[in-house]
Amino acid sequence: MSPGFRQDIQGLRALAVLLVILDHAKIGPFHGGFVGVDVFFVISGFLITGLLVSEAERNGRVSLLGFYARRARRILPAATLVIAATVGFGIYFLSAVEANGAIRDALWATFFAANFKLARDGTDYFQNDTPPSPLQHYWSLAVEEQFYVVWPLLVLLLCLYAAWRARRSAGQRSLGPRVRDLGVSPLVVIIGVSFAYSVSYSTTDPVSAYFSPFTRAWELGIGALVACLSTRLILLKPSVQALLSWGGLAAVVVASLVFDGTTVFPGYAAALPVVGAAALLAGGLRSAAWGPQRLLSLPPMRAVGDWSYSLYLWHWPALIIAAEVVTDLSLARRLAVVALVVPLSALSYYFVENPVRRAQLFKGRRLRGVLLYPAVVVLTLPMLAAANNVVEGELNDGGPPITVDEFGDGAPQQDQVVALVRASVKAAQDGFDIPADLKPSLLDLSTDIPDLGKCQYFEINNDRPLCPRGDTDADRTIVLIGDSHARQWVPALDELAKRYGYTAYFLIREGCPSSDVTPWMVHGGPSTDCEAFQEWARQQVEELRPDAVFLGSEANRRGFADDNGELVDDEATMATLYREGMEREIDYLSPYAGRVVVIGDPPAVVEHPGRCLSERGATLKSCLSTEDKVSLTYIDALRQAAANKGVEFVETAAWFCVDGLCPSVVGDYIAHRDRTHISQSYAGYLTDELEGQIHLGPTDATAAAQ
């Protein structure tokens, strides 16, 4: 049975897209408006499955070619237009680095794999200061298409099974209902497994879980289950269906008002909007006149529902690019962006979506519809390559490296790195050209991160391996413990371990400081995984008995959990907790290590170097930054902890800043990878500077004795 066209579903689409836009534009109290995406998933699962099982009812089979042809005509035209427009506007309005990021994201979006790319980037805490991609919202399209690679095949298998059952049972002539009924059991399994995975994964790795097709499959499956059960649900009394619908609408609205960026999601929380959307779909099969379907079927709601796909595609890049063009995107300006997106989406619907979907070219020509996808890829790839050439061309100009000879102050300097930092500040103040051959290049800056091999402990919560580095045959051992701010010293410590004969172990978990404090997670709550990792790292030190343990970290500015598991996020109290936690950590480790050394974090900078250096008209002067004052508070907390416990503290500020001024380029190195992390290239350059303070090599007395 096919439920036919339902105007209330267009209204539900309108509600979903409006919630998403209001959330993204920060308009009104709908901080959980991101649940509109979950509503879309349920609607999609319901409609697509309804079409598939209806086809099975009529024909006793499902045409995969026809299904994918319809999907191509529905999805590709508007999606490709928005990708092309976003890349074009990105080249014109964004910095070269941001435009290059948009081009890379466009490539992933073209192959419906944006969610995998975002999941990979999202678990990388080096990305914290990077603005959102203008094509980030394509992740949801990717999840849908990945689901629809599998689900139609399963329906086809159910058709074959039903046909086999029909042949074995005399007099069985109705295949369709069998397929509909047979779909219930596998859907229940899919929903159960996916939901359980979502709940588990959302607490251990919430960023990756948000984009995973495996944590979202149950949401599409819920919609599909309603479609399979529709012949039974339609038998409910209209009054019951109306109550079900009002309850579903309330669930979606409440979720949009109560949830926010700290909600662990999808997890358990996603059940509220998902079940609510499913209730609305089920309740609308034959609702009473006083149900919400009349409200959802009003002409304005139907119109917005018609445009919902284009609205979803256009609103996000419009907001992101506008935020880059206008530094202060006020409420009035955000409203203006949304007001501009509405007619743009209507035009996209009437002149792009509908004409291609209804074109005579594809009538009865399923293969042509399927070939639309490779045709789009063939057209898009050269466009992206050309755009990339334009961006790279903007970054190739520049001057020679900064040198002490040209910009030194003439005073005798024993430390050449400190002298070069001073010269680089002077060069910036004098308006010297940005060097042409930067290390790393601006386009490689985002990936200039030390490799940890198989020991990416953020992704491992059990059975953590050890990955010996440095001189793996050495009798002496060093250990580095901490978060991404410890990780940035891996290139220097790895080289020093090789040079002076140490086996090195880098016990790094991003977002997990070496201080004995429990950080507050992005999506709320104490990070119990960090606590477990910290305890594991201590156990490794106890077993390894290293010659030296190095501790490095930055305070998690989201806050720490106190002894009662409550959030503490005021700067002064956090600094105290941070200092006391480092003192405890030193006490834990000192009995098992020859030395404990705290590596002071370099000051964070106000300007994001990659974005600034790649802007049109950028100069070293315009990218000369100041120190981030908050970071100095936490650096001093670790300095005090080291002094209180009588252990060594490595001062690093002079390698980056002079008198509160921090050049984005030191010599020809981009010093900072983002506002808070240093680049891998510059860390390698600082190897000898670090050795000058930590003394892994032979002392002068030892060298003389030898």
Side-chain angles (χ1 to χ4, degrees), residues 78-92:
T80 304
L81 173 65
V82 174
I83 287 175
T86 300
V87 169
F89 282 109
I91 291 174
Y92 189 80

Side-chain angles (χ1 to χ4, degrees), residues 476 500 697-706:
R476 297 182 296 178
Y500 297 117
T699 62
D700 293 339
T702 303
Q706 292 175 344

Side-chain angles (χ1 to χ4, degrees), residues 41 79 114 121 125 138 141 143 145 158 181 235 301 395 451 506 590 642 653:
F41 285 153
D121 291 348
Y125 280 74
Y138 272 68
L141 273 69
V143 168
E145 298 316 303
L158 293 175
D181 294 340
L235 300 178
M301 294 294 285
L395 298 174
D451 179 30
F506 302 127
S590 293

Side-chain angles (χ1 to χ4, degrees), residues 237-586:
K237 293 180 179 180
S239 58
V240 174
Q241 292 191 336
L243 288 173
L244 191 65
S245 299
W246 279 114
L249 181 60
V252 172
V253 174
V254 166
S256 70
L257 292 171
V258 174
F259 295 172
D260 58 26
T262 66
T263 303
V264 178
F265 205 85
Y268 284 116
L272 185 61
V274 168
V275 174
L280 271 165
L281 293 171
L285 290 169
R286 191 167 62 100
S287 179
W290 49 272
Q293 281 72 25
R294 294 185 66 181
L295 177 66
L296 294 172
S297 300
L298 292 173
M301 294 294 285
R302 295 203 311 268
V304 174
D306 289 342
W307 308 336
S308 60
Y309 180 52
S310 286
L311 280 167
Y312 181 77
L313 291 177
W314 283 112
H315 85 281
W316 180 253
L319 287 169
I320 294 302
I321 293 175
E324 292 301 306
V325 174
V326 182
T327 305
D328 178 22
L329 199 60
S330 64
L331 175 60
R333 288 168 174 167
R334 296 195 299 273
L335 285 168
V337 172
V338 172
L340 176 65
V341 164
V342 173
L344 177 61
S345 301
L347 291 171
S348 179
Y349 173 75
Y350 288 115
F351 294 104
V352 179
E353 285 190 62
N354 276 351
V356 175
R357 191 166 53 199
R358 299 172 180 173
Q360 290 295 323
L361 176 66
F362 301 112
K363 292 286 186 180
R365 304 281 186 172
R366 295 173 178 174
L367 183 59
R368 288 183 182 179
V370 173
L371 291 177
L372 187 61
Y373 178 69
V376 164
V377 172
V378 168
L379 291 173
T380 302
L381 292 185
M383 181 269 291
L384 296 180
N388 193 60
N389 288 336
V390 171
V391 171
E392 289 184 348
E394 293 180 357
L395 298 174
N396 286 336
D397 296 332
I402 302 163
T403 63
V404 175
D405 290 341
E406 186 170 359
F407 291 98
D409 55 14
Q413 290 282 348
Q414 292 183 338
D415 192 313
Q416 290 302 304
V417 170
V418 175
L420 186 58
V421 173
R422 290 184 176 276
S424 298
V425 170
K426 180 69 164 54
Q429 292 172 328
D430 291 352
F432 191 64
D433 287 340
I434 297 172
D437 298 318
L438 293 171
K439 303 172 186 173
S441 73
L442 282 167
L443 296 183
D444 293 332
L445 186 60
S446 63
T447 57
D448 199 48
I449 304 168
D451 179 30
L452 295 177
K454 295 180 179 179
C455 289
Q456 296 277 359
Y457 294 121
F458 188 89
E459 303 170 1
I460 307 170
N461 287 315
N462 298 299
D463 300 323
R464 301 179 185 93
L466 285 176
C467 301
R469 302 271 289 268
D471 182 355
T472 56
D473 295 325
D475 295 328
R476 297 182 296 178
T477 303
I478 61 172
V479 173
L480 173 66
I481 300 175
D483 56 13
S484 59
H485 288 250
R487 179 178 181 173
Q488 61 195 9
W489 298 109
V490 166
L493 288 174
D494 197 24
E495 171 59 31
L496 292 174
K498 294 174 183 175
R499 184 186 301 176
Y500 297 117
Y502 292 86
T503 301
Y505 295 93
F506 302 127
L507 310 184
I508 306 298
R509 181 183 170 92
E510 282 79 359
C512 189
S514 55
S515 173
D516 181 30
V517 289
T518 301
W520 203 258
M521 294 191 297
V522 174
H523 291 275
S527 176
T528 54
D529 289 330
C530 178
E531 290 180 340
F533 176 79
Q534 290 170 330
E535 180 60 33
W536 175 82
R538 295 182 196 116
Q539 292 173 358
Q540 304 317 301
V541 171
E542 185 175 351
E543 294 175 8
L544 290 169
R545 304 288 173 131
D547 295 84
V549 173
F550 299 96
L551 304 175
S553 65
E554 183 206 34
N556 170 17
R557 299 194 189 187
R558 287 186 299 276
F560 300 132
D562 62 15
D563 292 339
N564 298 319
E566 300 296 325
L567 173 64
V568 175
D569 57 2
D570 66 283
E571 183 181 329
T573 307
M574 283 181 62
T576 299
L577 292 176
Y578 195 45
R579 173 183 56 78
E580 293 173 347
M582 183 56 76
E583 291 174 356
R584 286 194 299 273
E585 191 70 19
I586 294 169

Side-chain angles (χ1 to χ4, degrees), residues 1-40:
M1 170 184 173
S2 174
F5 180 77
R6 285 175 48 181
Q7 295 179 345
D8 63 296
I9 292 181
Q10 293 303 90
L12 184 55
R13 280 175 163 157
L15 175 64
V17 78
L18 289 174
L19 289 176
V20 171
I21 292 174
L22 292 173
D23 175 33
H24 289 164
K26 296 179 174 62
I27 299 171
F30 302 100
H31 307 299
F34 54 82
V35 301
V37 174
D38 305 87
V39 175
F40 276 126

Side-chain angles (χ1 to χ4, degrees), residues 78 183 189 194 326 347 430 458 589 603 630 690:
V189 173
S194 174
V326 182
L347 291 171
D430 291 352
F458 188 89
L589 300 177
V630 175
L690 186 62

